């Protein structure tokens, strides 16, 4: 039940991720003006703005100008639902913080893929909200130990990545280091082992795809490979599947 509710909420968060990923790189406000078609400026009424269902009902076209609405929109909404359902596996205390953290990672991955940068504004809001929700979750359930783990994990992981950044300033951008701070916070909730496993998974994924692109001739040595999606995927995978390996899921146990 918790997971179904989380998924429904995730559809709406995914819808908001679409707005953020489109507007923030363009320097637009995320709440004004209301949702509109980027092609004809037609303002969307509520029934054109329902996650996934509206896209299906409209057959992927704008009601006003008949312009195509990219399939990416419903896919991102479904991804938001999936991420929040995964967050729901970790029980009520961690759910809100993980849901916000995961969807922030989704938004940042899309923006990094679109324009090779990680906007501070989105990252800062996501990080602050995740910390606040972790604190609220700990207060509501009295599970302060998990909060301690998250903070300790966040500090240790951020320290490690800061050291990597200082040792090889060209190797890892400051944007990636800041993004990793959010990742290790989410990983830290599950314990320090997950922090190391998550970072390892992210670097491994990044290295495999980076080498793959080099071999395929798609990327020169100097081409910036967007690292955010790998950090995000590694984090979500390890937060989700790491505890299962050690039987730590409160929601299922
Ligand atoms: Zn239109």
């Amino acid at each position: 039940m918790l997971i179904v509710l989380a998924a429904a909420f995730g559809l709406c968060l995914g819808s908001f991720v679409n707005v953020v990923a489109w507007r923030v790189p363009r320097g637009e406000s995320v709440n004004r003006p209301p949702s509109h078609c980027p092609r004809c400026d037609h303002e969307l009424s509520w029934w054109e703005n329902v996650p996934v269902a509206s896209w299906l009902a409209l057959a992927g076209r704008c009601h006003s100008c008949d312009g195509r609405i990219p399939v990416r929109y419903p896919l991102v909404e479904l991804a938001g639902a999936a991420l929040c359902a995964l967050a729901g596996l970790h029980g009520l205390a961690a759910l809100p913080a993980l849901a916000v953290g995961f969807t922030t990672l989704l938004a940042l991955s899309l923006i990094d893929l679109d324009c090779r940068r990680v906007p501070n504004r989105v990252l800062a809001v996501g990080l602050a909200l995740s910390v606040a929700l972790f604190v609220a979750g700990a207060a509501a359930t009295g599970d302060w130990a998990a909060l301690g783990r998250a903070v300790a994990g966040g500090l240790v992981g951020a320290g490690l990545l800061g050291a990597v950044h200082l040792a090889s300033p060209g190797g890892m951008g400051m944007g990636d280091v800041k993004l990793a701070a959010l990742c290790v916070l989410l990983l830290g909730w599950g314990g320090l082992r997950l922090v190391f496993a998550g970072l390892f998974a992210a670097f491994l994924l990044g290295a495999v795809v980076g080498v793959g692109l080099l071999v395929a001739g798609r990327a020169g040595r100097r081409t910036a490979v967007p690292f955010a999606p790998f950090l995000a995927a590694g984090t979500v995978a390890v937060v989700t599947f790491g505890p299962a390996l050690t039987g730590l899921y409160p929601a299922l146990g």
Side-chain angles (χ1 to χ4, degrees), residues 150-252:
V151 171
L155 291 176
V156 169
L160 268 176
L161 290 160
V164 170
H165 175 68
L166 290 177
S168 61
M172 193 178 185
M174 202 52 210
D176 293 327
V177 174
K178 284 186 272 189
L179 174 63
L182 173 59
C183 294
V184 290
L185 175 80
L186 302 176
L187 289 161
W189 185 264
L192 209 50
R193 260 182 310 171
L194 293 195
V195 172
F196 293 115
L199 291 177
F200 180 72
F203 280 106
L204 195 67
L205 267 175
V208 166
V209 175
V211 169
L213 285 174
L214 269 178
V215 169
R218 294 275 308 277
R221 285 288 305 274
R222 284 161 188 240
T223 313
V225 175
F227 197 58
F230 303 116
L231 268 174
T235 300
V236 172
V238 171
V239 169
T240 304
F241 301 111
L245 301 175
T246 46
L248 287 176
Y249 275 132
L252 300 181

Side-chain angles (χ1 to χ4, degrees), residues 37 39-42 62 64-67:
C37 169
R39 185 190 303 238
C40 69
D41 270 343
H42 163 64
C62 169
S64 168
C65 72
D66 209 35

